Amino acid sequence: MLQNIISSKKNQWVQSNDCTVKHLLDYIRRKGELRDTQIEAIETYLFLKIVGENKPLWQLFSEGFFASTQDLTHLNINQRARTHFENNKSALALYNFASQKNGATSLLPDLEKLIVERPETVAYESIIKSMFYGVHYSDYLFSLPMGAGKTYLMAALMYLDLYFALNESDNKNFAHNFLVLVPSGLKSSIVPSLKTIEKFDPSWVLSEPAASRIKGMIRFEVLDQAKSAKRSNKARNPNAQKVNQYASQQGLMGLVLVVNAEKVILDRLELSDQQELIEHTEDQKDRLANELRNIIGKLPNLQIMIDEVHHAATDDIKLRQVVNRWNDKGSVTTVLGFSGTPYLSSPDAISVSADTTLKFSQITNTVYYYPLVTGIRNFLKKPTVKFAEIADPLHIIEKGIEDFYRLYRDKVYLNRTIAKIAIYCGNIQRLENDIYPFIIQLAKKFGDTEDNILKYHRGNKVFKLPKQNELEFNSLDTGLSKKRIILLVQIGKEGWDCKSLTGVILAQRGDCPQNMVLQTSCRCLRQVDKGENETALVWLNADNAQTLNKQLREEQQTSIQEINNLTKASGSETVARFPRVEYLQLPAVDFYQMRIDYLTIEEEQAANTAAKLKTLFDNIDTFRQSSFVVTRRNFTVAEDRTQIYTIGSERARFTEWLLDIAKGSFGGITLQQLQPHQTVLRKIFDSVTYTKESVLLYNEIYLQNAVKSQVRVAFSIKRSLETKRETIKQSAQMLLVEKLSPVDHNENIYPSPQEAQQIINYDATGKSIEEVENALQLFYEEQKKKWEEQGLGAMAPPPQTLSAAIRHKDSSFHYLPYSFFQSGFEKGILENTLTLNEFKQRKLEMYYNGERALTQFQIQCFAKNGARWQPVGKYTPDFLMIRRKRKNELHKILIIETKGEGFSHDPKFLHRKNYVSSEFLRLNEEKFGYKRFEFLYLSDESEMNDNLSELNHKIIEFFND
């Protein structure tokens, strides 16, 4: 959505001379107390407050603030649409947004088509307002994962607003007072963590004496009283009384209210069928609820902060309408939302026309997004996520506890807290009757005691907990706590700030709500010791693992596999990266792929299991290997060899053998299905085992795994495999902007971060490199003339101002900078290619495509096996050298593969290389009618000059038209 565009524009502003808060941002970075993600969020916030003038997002959008370009000449549209865009900023803004690339297609293709074909029929401003929830105030969402420091970020923004408000008292863009709203049902877990706002040190973002002065101004009030004031014969809302003592103060500044949104603000409100707010005032409770809303609405310059905003649901609609009323009185400055998951449980739908509806899964007012994966790489604990196919919850708990004791039993963090694991239970009865007794036995098995187990829940009629348990739960993250295993029911799924929690177990469906599996699993990721490569453990059953994977894909664009394969950042400085696809107007790569569909033909109507098992038993000796013992070294007759018929030492049990058969089917066969065939199965089992000294052993003369496999086959319908080959056309983006994230600084980054920033700055000027160099030369000539007029002698010639990377910026770098990780060879190839005359004269471009997560251009490769094609994996080319036919159309593409010596004989790579250099090239030449692709393989076994010579020759040969 918008966050990538905002990030790019914000970065340009921060590095420009127009940034009026450079000194402040430099101070925050030098102080070093906040994480990079918190600082980036602060930069985004100040950018929207200062450059965006704190305007609502729909207004900035309509005015073209987020538009990538206002130049209509390059757009592939008809004159009717072009004329409409010239007179309607909102139309152009919405078109630019809809036509953004989202993978291979536009972000909103139906809307893009409608705008071009019928531009006058679209209600642009109405659609834009609906996209941003129809509010008339600034409403921004900051998405940071759990453990990234959302609470401290909230505190930092409060202090910054007060700092600017004190300096510019008449500036309505900055808040004087703050309301922190906790969503429904989360008060017990989140309000305590919000109190950490009080502990925030303002000197982390403001220098003295401003920090201390503002800290002295702030007053905190938690509105958590549910009953009327004591000893009063007049019913009054005690929370309203708290606020009222401040509301009458002239020039009120620094008040921070923390309040539960449902019980205090939204209580006694209903929504009509038309989603309009209904507020009754007929009884005393209604009047009390209304009293608090009215008083809060009178607080001057109020900033509203909503924690865990994704929980709001229908309450969010009510809240927006309440805020609208407050805003009509002129009291709301900004609404800020904070969430680790900026995605909706079901997409929002906006009707554009009779046949066009827009759907948004992401919360559209997300202005900053920091992915969970990046947090894990940089500072969160690196989890290992495991799951068991076996559905038995106790088995899963046992495996999780076994892993935990093996990995973390002796783990003590620098703050003297010990590692802990949380086991979540769906209900109290299960915890008390099943899990707790089982955990006691497990703890004893690993040499631990019952004293180190804590169970915590709210209790019910049957099971009560002593007050001591609540105290111990609140003390878990201290060096005094010796609890290792924490058993929880409806506690700690969200907002539980226990940094020493190192493991989580969700052993069955319902241990936490299905929409909270991701949040609950992440409870153990908070960092304890800064700068340490900490790890964590998550154990799940198959159902929760499937749910987690789904939520990771939808909400974080990642997976369990990717998280398990992550490596921690080295601790070195990270380098921000910037997309340039729009600046370069880089088109998608159109190409043809081979696709093989595998069709399964059933040759039987029934499995005929009994007959197949009998056949297996009758032919059991075909699974026997011949084995001989040589009795003498030099033999001449057969008698010198003694054939053996039994060998092996592994104990055999019929029930375990059956269980292995069932397990090996991965759910295809159950023990219940094996039961009716026990007689023949016992005969097969007896044939492949033998007895030695009264002990039953597996006979290794028989191919045991092959026998079990054949038993499984007996339960399956006989099938044959047929393949269907077809050719499909694909359109691939060379950059998935949403995947572009910072990288660790390393020697193989190109260009350097400083050069990358210069390129971004030069892009923003709209000038060509020739114009930039001419301006620099003119400046030098002017300075030289002044130098000579003052009689100072000859002025030294100017140094080479622009590096090769900057001078050739329009021939490469669709994102900045490239990171070649461990390959200096790849970096060297690109650096040298940009300086080749044949490359420059033909106006070619060269782009790095080797970072798999960032590109869609990947070729599915196959190898011929007899008459069939078999897949051998995807191939991601290292570089694409292109020549355009038109500005928005690629004509020829040279695929360049650069490999180190170790890959030259790798069978997997050779299969893919052979396919791409033959079948892929042939297929695309046939479909396009000309040689569209060519392939070149360069190896670091050759000298760089030899590789460049080969590349130069290929350029002349392939780009010869």
Side-chain angles (χ1 to χ4, degrees):
M1 298 298 288
L2 285 180
Q3 66 263 17
N4 294 320
I5 301 171
I6 292 174
S7 176
S8 178
K9 289 183 173 294
K10 179 268 294 182
N11 287 332
Q12 292 178 23
W13 173 67
V14 167
Q15 298 298 326
S16 73
N17 293 328
D18 296 329
C19 180
T20 54
V21 292
K22 264 189 178 180
H23 66 287
L24 178 64
L25 297 173
D26 288 344
Y27 170 82
I28 296 173
R29 288 194 178 276
R30 285 197 311 273
K31 194 70 177 175
E33 295 293 343
L34 298 185
R35 294 189 175 112
D36 281 350
T37 178
Q38 294 166 314
I39 298 174
E40 289 170 4
I42 288 171
E43 290 174 343
T44 301
Y45 177 75
L46 294 178
F47 172 69
L48 291 170
K49 282 272 185 174
I50 296 170
V51 182
E53 298 177 346
N54 198 45
K55 294 178 181 177
L57 286 175
W58 73 264
Q59 186 177 346
L60 291 173
F61 193 106
S62 297
E63 293 172 354
F65 184 78
F66 302 121
S68 55
T69 179
Q70 298 291 335
D71 182 9
L72 305 180
T73 58
H74 75 279
L75 296 180
N76 185 22
I77 55 176
N78 56 49
Q79 187 56 45
R80 181 180 173 191
R82 200 184 307 275
T83 302
H84 198 81
F85 291 167
E86 288 173 351
N87 301 305
N88 191 326
K89 281 187 177 182
S90 296
L92 178 58
L94 193 58
Y95 172 79
N96 274 330
F97 181 72
S99 59
Q100 280 187 93
K101 291 303 176 185
N102 180 29
T105 61
S106 298
L107 182 63
L108 301 169
D110 293 339
L111 180 59
E112 177 187 17
K113 181 181 178 183
L114 177 67
I115 292 174
V116 171
E117 293 179 354
R118 292 178 285 159
E120 67 285 344
T121 66
V122 180
Y124 297 100
E125 191 166 301
S126 175
I127 292 171
I128 293 169
K129 285 182 178 178
S130 297
M131 284 169 54
F132 298 104
Y133 312 112
V135 300
H136 293 277
Y137 48 83
S138 302
D139 187 6
Y140 309 140
L141 173 65
F142 293 84
S143 178
L144 289 78
M146 182 282 308
K150 293 194 294 289
T151 308
Y152 273 173
L153 173 61
M154 294 165 72
L157 298 183
M158 288 178 187
Y159 279 102
L160 289 169
D161 259 62
L162 288 171
Y163 172 76
F164 287 107
L166 284 171
N167 289 331
E168 304 174 44
S169 57
D170 295 331
N171 189 340
K172 300 300 183 183
N173 293 341
F174 294 100
H176 293 189
N177 301 287
F178 307 88
L179 176 66
V180 180
L181 291 178
V182 183
S184 310
L186 295 179
K187 174 186 171 184
S188 61
S189 58
I190 294 181
V191 167
S193 68
L194 289 176
K195 289 182 179 178
T196 58
I197 294 174
E198 297 182 65
K199 303 174 186 176
F200 182 79
D201 185 348
S203 69
W204 294 354
V205 293
L206 297 170
S207 59
E208 295 293 356
S212 295
R213 178 188 175 193
I214 295 174
K215 187 173 181 66
M217 292 171 51
I218 289 189
R219 286 152 291 178
F220 294 90
E221 289 288 355
V222 178
L223 307 182
D224 56 359
Q225 290 183 249
K227 299 179 180 179
S228 298
K230 292 181 180 180
R231 298 173 184 171
S232 173
N233 58 7
K234 183 177 181 181
R236 292 185 62 83
N237 187 323
N239 297 305
Q241 288 179 293
K242 277 188 181 180
V243 181
N244 197 40
Q245 64 180 324
Y246 297 105
S248 59
Q249 295 179 14
Q250 289 292 324
L252 177 64
M253 289 187 76
L255 177 62
V256 180
L257 304 176
V258 181
V259 56
N260 180 276
E262 180 189 43
K263 299 204 174 195
V264 182
I265 299 297
L266 305 180
D267 192 25
R268 320 301 295 168
L269 293 177
E270 296 177 13
L271 289 169
S272 68
D273 293 338
Q274 291 75 36
Q275 299 294 287
E276 294 175 347
L277 204 63
I278 301 173
E279 183 174 11
H280 300 293
T281 56
E282 298 167 357
D283 61 36
Q284 193 64 38
K285 287 186 177 180
D286 290 324
R287 287 195 292 274
L288 293 178
N290 180 266
E291 181 185 5
L292 179 61
R293 283 193 296 274
N294 283 340
I295 292 174
I296 289 177
K298 295 174 183 177
L299 296 177
N301 292 62
L302 186 66
Q303 180 151 291
I304 302 170
M305 295 180 160
I306 311 172
D307 196 41
E308 302 297 348
V309 71
H310 59 280
H311 283 287
T314 56
D315 280 349
D316 181 48
I317 300 171
K318 292 193 287 185
L319 178 60
R320 289 184 190 281
Q321 296 196 24
V322 170
V323 176
N324 280 336
R325 293 186 182 181
W326 288 342
N327 187 60
D328 291 341
K329 299 175 184 177
S331 61
V332 176
T333 300
T334 316
V335 174
L336 302 181
F338 299 86
S339 173
T341 52
Y343 290 86
L344 300 163
S345 56
S346 59
D348 271 347
I350 298 173
S351 178
V352 174
S353 66
D355 53 357
T356 304
T357 300
L358 308 183
K359 291 187 177 181
F360 298 98
S361 295
Q362 189 187 63
I363 299 174
T364 51
N365 61 336
T366 304
V367 298
Y368 178 77
Y369 176 57
Y370 190 80
L372 174 65
V373 166
T374 308
I376 292 172
R377 279 182 49 81
N378 289 342
F379 55 83
L380 295 176
K381 294 190 186 88
K382 159 65 176 68
T384 298
V385 182
K386 297 184 177 184
F387 62 93
E389 293 290 349
I390 298 174
D392 180 12
L394 295 183
H395 169 79
I396 296 168
I397 290 172
E398 183 175 11
K399 297 295 291 183
I401 294 297
E402 181 183 332
D403 271 0
F404 174 75
Y405 274 106
R406 177 173 56 84
L407 296 169
Y408 302 111
R409 174 168 186 151
D410 299 322
K411 176 65 179 176
V412 180
Y413 294 101
L414 295 180
N415 62 2
R416 299 173 62 190
T417 58
I418 63 172
K420 301 165 184 66
I421 188 166
I423 303 173
Y424 290 84
C425 306
N427 59 69
I428 295 173
Q429 184 174 351
R430 177 170 169 257
L431 183 153
E432 294 283 358
N433 291 339
D434 301 333
I435 306 302
Y436 184 54
F438 183 67
I439 290 296
I440 292 174
Q441 297 305 314
L442 271 183
K444 290 178 180 177
K445 174 183 174 182
F446 294 105
D448 211 341
T449 69
E450 183 179 348
D451 291 339
N452 293 337
I453 303 169
L454 174 67
K455 53 182 179 178
Y456 186 52
H457 51 72
R458 298 301 183 195
N460 58 23
K461 292 180 180 179
V462 180
F463 299 101
K464 307 289 184 185
L465 288 180
K467 287 286 185 182
Q468 178 68 19
N469 287 42
E470 182 172 3
L471 176 62
E472 289 180 335
F473 179 77
N474 292 330
S475 305
L476 282 173
D477 217 22
T478 69
L480 299 174
S481 177
K482 301 306 176 188
K483 303 295 183 182
R484 280 199 183 88
I485 302 176
I486 321 300
L487 307 181
L488 301 171
V489 179
Q490 301 302 322
I491 298 289
K493 300 182 297 295
E494 213 167 15
W496 180 27
D497 185 4
C498 183
K499 295 181 177 62
S500 56
L501 186 68
T502 310
V504 163
I505 298 177
L506 295 172
Q508 71 175 26
R509 185 183 179 92
D511 280 344
C512 75
Q514 286 300 100
N515 65 341
M516 295 180 69
V517 173
L518 172 57
Q519 288 91 328
T520 308
S521 301
C522 289
R523 285 302 95 201
C524 59
L525 302 189
R526 291 183 185 274
Q527 183 186 59
V528 187
D529 300 330
K530 190 174 181 179
E532 296 294 320
N533 285 338
E534 298 172 346
T535 59
L537 176 68
V538 178
W539 259 96
L540 311 166
N541 72 328
D543 186 77
N544 281 323
Q546 185 178 2
T547 301
L548 175 62
N549 220 28
K550 180 175 181 289
Q551 291 175 355
L552 284 170
R553 284 196 303 270
E554 292 176 353
E555 300 177 16
Q556 294 290 337
Q557 290 78 56
T558 185
S559 65
I560 290 176
Q561 182 180 4
E562 184 178 352
I563 285 176
N564 281 341
N565 292 335
L566 281 176
T567 56
K568 294 288 286 183
S570 63
S572 60
E573 177 190 355
T574 57
V575 177
R577 298 201 284 183
F578 313 94
R580 295 182 71 234
V581 173
E582 291 188 6
Y583 171 82
L584 294 165
Q585 296 176 34
L586 187 61
V589 181
D590 294 330
F591 66 109
Y592 287 89
Q593 288 256 53
M594 182 192 297
R595 186 169 75 185
I596 305 294
D597 291 329
Y598 297 91
L599 307 176
T600 302
I601 308 300
E602 294 186 351
E603 298 183 2
E604 296 177 316
Q605 291 184 345
N608 300 312
T609 301
K612 289 176 183 175
L613 289 175
K614 184 179 183 304
T615 301
L616 171 60
F617 173 68
D618 293 341
N619 296 278
I620 197 66
D621 283 347
T622 60
F623 293 87
R624 187 173 65 187
Q625 306 171 91
S626 294
S627 183
F628 295 86
V629 174
V630 179
T631 57
R632 73 180 189 186
R633 194 162 190 176
N634 298 311
F635 57 86
T636 57
V637 291
E639 285 74 17
D640 289 328
R641 302 178 190 161
T642 300
Q643 185 167 1
I644 57 175
Y645 296 93
T646 57
I647 187 173
S649 58
E650 183 182 353
R651 283 177 175 264
R653 293 181 181 85
F654 182 58
T655 53
E656 288 185 357
W657 186 72
L658 293 177
L659 185 60
D660 281 346
I661 290 170
K663 282 183 178 179
S665 72
F666 296 100
I669 305 170
T670 65
L671 288 173
Q672 287 77 13
Q673 289 173 288
L674 294 171
Q675 195 70 29
H677 304 280
Q678 283 233 23
T679 303
V680 66
L681 288 170
R682 169 64 78 171
K683 291 180 180 179
I684 296 169
F685 175 76
D686 291 342
S687 299
V688 298
T689 57
Y690 74 104
T691 302
K692 181 180 180 182
E693 298 175 358
S694 301
V695 178
L696 189 62
L697 305 171
Y698 285 110
N699 189 350
E700 293 180 7
I701 292 299
Y702 287 88
L703 300 169
Q704 295 289 342
N705 287 333
V707 171
K708 285 187 279 191
S709 176
Q710 202 60 35
V711 171
R712 296 183 193 108
V713 169
F715 286 81
S716 303
I717 294 173
K718 186 178 179 181
R719 297 176 175 88
S720 60
L721 190 67
E722 290 187 4
T723 58
K724 177 186 176 184
R725 177 185 171 189
E726 62 177 325
T727 301
I728 58 171
K729 188 174 183 181
Q730 289 191 313
S731 185
Q733 298 298 320
M734 278 189 267
L735 176 63
L736 299 173
V737 175
E738 66 275 12
K739 296 280 189 178
L740 190 62
S741 59
V743 292
D744 293 339
H745 194 286
N746 63 79
E747 61 182 10
N748 291 319
I749 279 181
Y750 183 69
S752 70
Q754 295 74 24
E755 291 172 318
Q757 191 57 60
Q758 283 184 275
I759 290 173
I760 293 296
N761 293 342
Y762 287 140
D763 286 353
T765 67
K767 295 179 180 179
S768 68
I769 284 298
E770 289 76 15
E771 290 174 317
V772 170
E773 289 185 315
N774 288 339
L776 291 172
Q777 182 62 34
L778 180 61
F779 177 76
Y780 168 73
E781 295 295 340
E782 291 173 350
Q783 294 300 311
K784 180 182 177 183
K785 184 177 179 181
K786 291 179 181 178
W787 184 276
E788 291 173 348
E789 286 175 350
Q790 295 175 18
L792 299 174
M795 187 176 178
Q800 179 62 53
T801 306
L802 301 181
S803 66
I806 296 174
R807 278 187 278 114
H808 300 292
K809 72 180 183 70
D810 294 341
S811 301
S812 189
F813 311 123
H814 60 313
Y815 62 91
L816 284 167
Y818 292 151
S819 178
F820 298 106
F821 298 103
Q822 304 302 318
S823 180
F825 178 54
E826 291 176 338
K827 178 183 176 185
I829 288 291
L830 178 59
E831 283 182 295
N832 285 282
T833 299
L834 294 178
T835 64
L836 288 176
N837 281 329
E838 298 294 346
F839 175 82
K840 292 188 289 184
Q841 288 173 4
R842 285 170 170 76
K843 296 184 178 179
L844 303 178
E845 300 164 49
M846 185 169 176
Y847 299 102
Y848 179 54
N849 189 70
E851 205 168 330
R852 292 182 188 178
L854 296 181
T855 179
Q856 284 186 323
F857 186 65
Q858 298 176 335
I859 301 169
Q860 182 64 60
C861 300
F862 300 86
K864 205 73 175 285
N865 184 6
R868 289 181 177 174
W869 289 97
Q870 290 187 332
V872 291
K874 286 185 178 179
Y875 164 65
T876 306
D878 287 331
F879 291 100
L880 300 181
M881 185 179 289
I882 69 169
R883 183 159 71 188
R884 308 192 193 211
K885 187 172 186 178
R886 301 179 187 87
K887 203 167 191 178
N888 61 347
E889 182 181 349
L890 304 185
H891 179 54
K892 282 192 169 186
I893 302 160
L894 173 60
I895 298 171
I896 302 172
E897 181 61 32
T898 57
K899 277 287 185 282
E901 181 180 355
F903 286 89
S904 57
H905 304 294
D906 179 7
K908 291 182 180 178
F909 168 67
L910 290 175
H911 278 310
R912 295 167 189 169
K913 173 176 173 280
N914 292 339
Y915 174 80
V916 172
S917 59
S918 55
E919 188 64 23
F920 176 80
L921 298 184
R922 185 201 63 75
L923 175 66
N924 279 274
E925 183 173 359
E926 177 184 298
K927 289 293 184 180
F928 282 101
Y930 70 97
K931 194 168 185 178
R932 179 175 174 84
F933 289 93
E934 181 58 285
F935 179 81
L936 176 65
Y937 172 64
L938 303 175
S939 170
D940 70 353
E941 296 178 69
S942 302
E943 296 292 332
M944 179 60 75
N945 284 338
D946 293 336
N947 277 315
L948 291 173
S949 177
E950 189 174 353
L951 175 58
N952 204 58
H953 177 74
K954 182 63 72 174
I955 289 173
I956 296 170
E957 176 189 282
F958 181 54
F959 299 104
N960 57 4
D961 51 348

